[in-house]
Amino acid sequence: MSDPGAFQPMKDYQRTLPPLWIGSAIAFYAFIAIGIAEAGLGVLLPSILSTYNLTPATITLLFVSQISGYILAAFTSSIVSSRLGLARMLLIAAGALTMALTIYATSPFWFLMVAAGSGMGLGIGLIDAGINTYIVQNSGSASLIGLLHAFYGIGALSGPAIATTLLAVGMNWRQVYGVLAGIVSLLIVSVLGIIIFNYTPMTQRVLPSNTTALENLGRALQTPTVLLTGLLLLIYVGTEACIGNWAYTVQSVARHTPTLIAGYSVSTYWLGLTLGRFILGYFLQWLGAVRTISMSLSLVIIGLLAWWQLPDQWISLPLIGFGLAAIFPATIWLIPQRLPDPYVPAAVSITTSAASLGAAIIPTGAGWVASWTNLEIIPMLMLPLALLMVGLHCWLVQHSVRGK
C-alpha cells in the first residue's frame, strides 16, 4: 500500500507557487496605463496648440522627442530584463512614464514639455517590450495575447473619454494631465508590491547571463524576419497613433464637428479596437493568425476610404479601430512560431520598440504634411501606409524562418 504522505511534499510545493493571475493583472494594468498615456493626447492637442501658439508642424516635436526613448528601449529592454528581472525594469518604466506626464502637467515652458517626451518614449517602450515578451514566453494562448492588447484598448478608449469629460467640466489640459499621471502612478505601487513580496515570475532573470542576451540581440538584428516584422509594426502603430492623435483635430477643426461629438467619436475608434481584441482569440482559432491579419488589413483599407471620402458618416472610425485590432497582437504571437526560441526576447524587444518609434514618426510626418496643405489630407495619407502593411505581411508569410 502506498504511503499517503508521499504526495505531501508535492502538495506543499504546489501551494508555494505564486498565483499566475497576479502577473496577468500587472500586465493588463500596465497596458491600460500606456493606452491612457498615449491616447489622451489626441483630445488635448488643440488646447496645447492654443496655449503655446503652435502649428500642426511644430507641435509634432512632442512626438519626435519620444524617439530617443523608444530607441533606448529597443536596444536595452531585453538586456535590462535579463540583468534586473522584468519587475525592476517595469518599475523604471512606470517611473519614467509618470514623471513625463507630471512634467506635461506642470511645465510652463514648451521646450521642457518636449524634453519630457524622452521619458515618455522610454517608459512606453520598456513596458511594451517587457510585457509582450512575458506573455508570449509564459503562455502559448492566443486568447491571452489578444486579451493583453484589449486592455491597451481599454486604456486608449478611456484616455480620450476621460480627457473630453474633464475638459467639459472646466478643467484645463494641464489638470487633465495631472489626473492621467495619477492613474499611471498606480502602476508604480503595484510593481513595488511584487518586488517587495518577490513575485518570482516577474522578478527572476529572463536569461542566464547578460552576454547571452547581448549575443541574441545582435543575431536578431541580423535576421530579416525580425527587421521586417519591426517595420510592419512600426507602420501599424504609427497608423494607429496617427488616427488616434489627429482624428479629433480633423473632426473638430477641419470638419467643424461639435467638440463633444468629436471627442467621443475618437473614443468609438478605440472602442472598435478594444472589442476586436477581446474577440481576437476566437478569430485566431477559427482563421489562424495569417488569415486574421489579412482580413483585418482589408477592413482597415475600407474604413480609411470611408473616413476620407465620406466625412459626414460616423461608422468609419470604429470600423478602422476594429480592423486594426488584430494586427499587432497577432503579429507578436507569430514571433515564437517564426524564430528560434533563443531569439524571441530580443526579437520582441526590437519589434515592439520599433513599433513605438512609429508612434512618433508617422503622426509627426502627418502633422508636417497637414501644415503645408490642410488637416483633411490626414485620412488620405493613411491609405498608402495600409497598402505597405499588406506588402510586408505577404513577405513575412512567404519568407519566415519557421512559417505558420
Side-chain angles (χ1 to χ4, degrees), residues 76 110 117 119 157 168 172 208 220 243 276 288 297 322 329 345:
T76 61
W110 168 239
L157 166 64
N172 61 47
I243 296 169
L297 287 167
F322 187 82

Side-chain angles (χ1 to χ4, degrees), residues 248-269:
Y248 177 83
T249 307
V250 169
Q251 298 299 106
S252 64
V253 176
R255 297 178 174 177
H256 307 292
T257 305
T259 54
L260 267 179
I261 296 175
Y264 290 124
S265 71
V266 177
S267 288
T268 67
Y269 164 70

Side-chain angles (χ1 to χ4, degrees), residues 78-318:
S78 63
I79 297 171
V80 171
S81 183
S82 70
R83 179 176 287 273
L84 300 180
L86 175 60
R88 287 174 176 81
M89 186 177 79
L90 289 179
L91 183 62
I92 295 169
L97 185 55
T98 302
M99 183 180 297
L101 292 172
T102 302
I103 293 173
Y104 283 6
T106 59
S107 171
F109 304 110
W110 168 239
F111 74 87
L112 186 57
M113 187 174 178
V114 170
S118 295
M120 183 97 158
L122 178 64
I124 292 171
L126 290 177
I127 290 171
D128 208 359
I131 294 297
N132 274 293
T133 303
Y134 173 76
I135 293 296
V136 298
Q137 287 196 310
N138 289 278
S139 172
S141 170
S143 60
L144 192 58
I145 190 71
L147 194 59
L148 171 69
H149 288 268
F151 277 92
Y152 173 86
I154 289 175
L157 166 64
S158 302
I162 292 170
T164 300
T165 303
L166 294 180
L167 289 174
V169 300
M171 282 191 176
N172 61 47
W173 66 269
R174 293 187 187 280
Q175 293 170 322
V176 173
Y177 263 125
V179 173
L180 299 186
I183 294 171
V184 172
S185 69
L186 295 176
L187 181 60
I188 297 176
V189 177
S190 59
V191 174
L192 275 174
I194 64 175
I195 292 173
I196 292 170
F197 292 100
N198 193 24
Y199 179 71
T200 53
M202 284 188 162
T203 55
Q204 65 186 357
R205 296 182 178 185
V206 176
L207 293 171
S209 72
N210 188 50
T211 303
T212 303
L214 196 57
E215 289 174 352
N216 286 330
L217 177 65
R219 293 190 185 104
L221 283 168
Q222 299 173 28
T223 306
T225 296
V226 174
L227 298 179
L228 291 181
T229 299
L231 181 59
L232 170 61
L233 293 181
L234 183 152
I235 296 168
Y236 163 78
V237 171
T239 303
E240 176 195 288
C242 190
I243 296 169
N245 286 332
W246 286 112
Y248 177 83
T249 307
V250 169
Q251 298 299 106
S252 64
V253 176
R255 297 178 174 177
H256 307 292
T257 305
T259 54
L260 267 179
I261 296 175
Y264 290 124
S265 71
V266 177
S267 288
T268 67
Y269 164 70
W270 295 112
L271 177 62
L273 184 137
T274 303
L275 291 176
R277 286 180 174 172
F278 270 116
I279 61 174
L280 174 61
Y282 170 76
F283 281 101
L284 290 180
Q285 293 175 0
W286 177 39
L287 296 174
V290 170
R291 290 189 182 91
T292 298
I293 295 171
S294 300
M295 181 187 72
S296 298
L297 287 167
S298 300
L299 286 178
V300 170
I301 291 171
I302 293 169
L304 288 172
L305 283 168
W307 189 36
W308 174 32
Q309 292 292 326
L310 303 170
D312 294 329
Q313 47 72 45
W314 57 270
I315 194 64
S316 59
L317 286 174

Side-chain angles (χ1 to χ4, degrees), residues 322-354:
F322 187 82
L324 289 170
I327 299 170
F328 191 106
T331 302
I332 290 292
W333 187 67
L334 282 171
I335 287 177
Q337 335 283 322
R338 289 172 164 171
L339 293 169
D341 292 339
Y343 294 1
V344 170
V348 173
S349 172
I350 292 164
T351 55
T352 55
S353 298

Side-chain angles (χ1 to χ4, degrees), residues 14-44:
Q14 290 173 341
R15 280 199 296 267
T16 63
L17 288 176
L20 295 178
W21 68 264
I22 294 176
S24 298
I26 296 292
F28 294 159
Y29 188 76
F31 265 51
I32 289 174
I34 62 174
I36 288 173
E38 288 189 309
L41 175 61
V43 172
L44 301 176

